[in-house]
């Protein structure tokens, strides 16, 4: 599982998907999250603005990425 570092204490789900290169645009984030294709810590998440913190695991399309802080 890959880890992506964020510089702040938290990040919104839509922003994280772009940062981790799991999607290309905010419009893509809206679609995949709205369609229930993204899970956070094993549970489907449909809120693009969900705040993520270090240790959270985001999964989309069989790819899992863990948030880390420096």
């Amino acid at each position: 599982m890959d880890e992506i570092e964020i510089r702040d204490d938290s990040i919104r789900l839509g922003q994280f998907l772009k940062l981790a290169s799991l999607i290309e645009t905010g419009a893509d984030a809206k679609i995949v999250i709205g369609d229930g294709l993204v899970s956070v810590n094993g549970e489907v998440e449909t809120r693009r603005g969900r705040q993520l913190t270090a240790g959270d695991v985001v999964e989309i399309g069989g790819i899992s990425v863990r948030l880390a802080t420096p």
Side-chain angles (χ1 to χ4, degrees):
M1 177 183 312
D2 290 335
E3 287 196 352
I4 301 291
E5 286 189 5
I6 59 172
R7 59 181 168 200
D8 297 322
D9 291 335
S10 65
I11 188 171
R12 290 185 180 147
L13 177 57
Q15 293 172 325
F16 181 74
L17 291 174
K18 289 189 295 186
L19 176 68
S21 299
L22 297 172
I23 49 111
E24 291 186 17
T25 68
D28 291 340
K30 184 176 182 178
I31 292 167
V32 297
I33 294 169
D35 287 349
L37 302 177
V38 178
S39 66
V40 177
N41 299 328
E43 295 184 17
V44 173
E45 182 58 65
T46 57
R47 298 173 293 159
R48 202 170 33 152
R50 158 89 185 258
Q51 292 291 320
L52 304 173
T53 57
D56 283 340
V57 176
V58 175
E59 182 179 347
I60 180 173
I63 300 171
S64 297
V65 181
R66 183 186 322 269
L67 275 77
T69 54

